[in-house]
Structure formats: C-alpha cells, structure tokens
Amino acid sequence: MATIAENIQEVRRRIAAACALAGRPVEAVTLLAVGKTFAAETVRAAFDAGERSFGENYVQEALDKIAALADLRGHVEWHLIGPLQSNKTRSVAEAFDWVHTVDRLKVASRLSEQRPVGLPPLQLCLQVNISGEASKSGLAADEVLGVARAVAALPRVRLRGLMAVPAPAIDAAAQRLPYARLRELLAVLQRDGLDVDTLSMGMTADLEAAIAEGATIVRVGTAIFGAR
Ligand SMILES: *Cc1c(COP(=O)(O)O)cnc(C)c1O
C-alpha cells in the first residue's frame, strides 16, 4: 500500500499536469488535504510530508483534531468545508482560518462578530449550489451577488470567493460545465468591484476538470488518505 507521502506526491503530479495543460502556473493551485474521518496522527503524516492546508467537514471532529495538533498552530491553515449551523459559529470563528461553506448572510455576520480581535480576518467563500440540486446546500446562482456584497462589507471576515460541490459527472466535458459556471460567477463579482480571487472546486475524482476551469483550491481526501 502506498504511503501518505507517496499519495501526496501523486496528487501533486496530477495537479502539475493539469496546470501545464491549462497553461497555469502550479503555484496558482493550493492543495487542501481533506482529513475527515481520519485520526489526528494520520493528518500529521500529511504535515510531515509537506502539507500545510487542511480541510475538515464536521465541526466537532475538526475541533478535536485541531486541539490534538495544537503544536502545529502557526504552521498550518484549517479550512472548514462542511456544513455550518449558526449555533456552531463561535467555535469555528475561534479555531479556523477559512470557511468555504457560507450559504447565508446570517452565518457570515455571526462569524464576523465572533472572530477574535487578535486573529487575522476569517477567510470566507460562499458555497454555490451550482448544479441546482434540490437536496444540496448552497446559494442559488442568482442570490450570490447580493450576499457577496453584504459579506464583503463585514469587518472581521474577508470574502475570498466561491466554492461548489457539483453533482457527480462521468466524463471530463460534463465535469467541466458546472466549474465553468462557477468561474463565470466569480467574474461577475469581480466586475462588480469585489476583491475576490478564490475558486474552491475539484476533488479526487475531478480535480483536472476543476483546474482546467480555474480552480485555485482543490479539496482532496480519498487520493491522499484512502477510502473512507
Ligand atoms: C469529502 C470532501 C472532499 C474530498 O473528497 P474526495 O473525493 O475524498 O477527494 C472535498 N470537498 C468536500 C466538500 C468534501 O466533503
């Protein structure tokens, strides 16, 4: 079985190949290692292999892991990529560096109020229901601009861009369609004058398609840590 270090090397090779194909510099894409369901010491192995950005889905599991890896504080960034209820915002505002899954103004307002003054602004992405699935969380495309303007005006958070988890698609062309729509939505915000630069999109199965459409953060779990 491949080690976590070998898996990371292979994911980085995939990212570099996709960037080369898209004519983008490899530094334009940040790899987020998604450790949900894996133990803190497994995540530490990814740190030892050079990873510095970590994604987690479940707030309580993440808080426990961040505490267990407290010695890495200052050397790593923690990104929440799972659903966030408004009654959990305080601990998230205190422990994380990024939240990718903001889907209403109320959550962003609470994060801004609760972000400790001694910390840098919490970096936020708005989650977009880009495939228009009834069961999925995220803003509808036509709600994004209004919410983005309001979030960008909050004091203790910084709006960075957009995030999506599209419906699974089999071939590369179908995988690219929703990612192209998210890229176009980010351009709408930029034309409106908002200072946004982040497209959080692409996972183990489709990171090449996401990079082809401009992903700046890919969120990869299975290809690094194994099946869950
Ligand atoms: C689990 C998860 C990932 C990682 O998915 P893999 O297919 O394991 O790479 C990325 N983004 C979100 C939102 C996730 O929940």
Side-chain angles (χ1 to χ4, degrees):
M1 215 172 87
T3 64
I4 285 174
E6 288 164 346
N7 289 344
I8 288 171
Q9 202 173 21
E10 169 61 12
V11 171
R12 291 207 169 274
R13 190 201 57 74
R14 284 176 63 187
I15 291 171
C19 284
L21 206 59
R24 303 180 59 205
V26 72
E27 310 79 55
V29 178
T30 297
L31 170 60
L32 200 60
V34 176
K36 64 177 176 224
T37 78
F38 289 95
E41 291 314 308
T42 308
V43 172
R44 186 188 295 279
F47 175 84
D48 291 338
E51 280 314 306
R52 293 296 178 265
S53 300
F54 295 96
E56 289 288 336
N57 279 66
Y58 310 110
V59 172
Q60 192 52 53
E61 178 192 330
L63 294 173
D64 293 345
K65 220 173 280 184
I66 292 169
L69 298 172
D71 58 305
L72 305 186
R73 179 160 284 287
H75 303 284
V76 297
E77 279 185 346
W78 292 101
H79 296 235
L80 181 67
I81 63 168
L84 174 54
Q85 266 114 44
S86 49
N87 62 350
K88 297 267 184 64
T89 51
R90 183 174 298 279
S91 52
V92 168
E94 290 170 355
F96 282 85
D97 302 289
W98 283 68
V99 176
H100 293 225
T101 43
V102 172
D103 61 359
R104 48 199 195 282
L105 179 58
K106 182 184 170 195
V107 165
S109 303
R110 290 175 64 97
L111 289 170
S112 180
E113 277 163 26
Q114 295 166 345
R115 180 67 168 174
V117 174
L119 295 179
L122 187 63
Q123 311 291 302
L124 302 185
C125 291
L126 300 181
Q127 183 173 1
V128 185
N129 183 359
I130 200 70
S131 306
E133 295 167 277
S135 63
K136 276 269 176 71
S137 46
L139 292 158
D142 63 2
E143 300 173 309
V144 170
L145 180 58
V147 176
R149 285 173 175 157
V151 171
L154 296 170
R156 301 286 313 138
V157 294
R158 176 156 176 231
L159 181 66
R160 294 297 300 270
L162 303 175
M163 176 271 203
V165 186
I170 294 151
D171 63 277
Q175 285 175 347
R176 283 181 64 161
L177 281 173
Y179 292 140
R181 284 207 296 277
L182 201 69
R183 171 173 50 71
E184 287 158 13
L185 260 180
L186 188 78
V188 168
L189 304 189
Q190 289 166 336
R191 282 198 297 276
D192 193 61
L194 294 170
D195 180 19
V196 287
D197 59 8
T198 299
L199 285 170
S200 167
M201 57 190 200
M203 324 202 304
T204 292
D206 63 2
L207 68 88
E208 285 85 359
I211 288 170
E213 295 296 348
T216 64
I217 300 180
V218 292
R219 309 176 309 264
V220 178
T222 306
I224 293 175
F225 296 110
R228 292 180 293 270

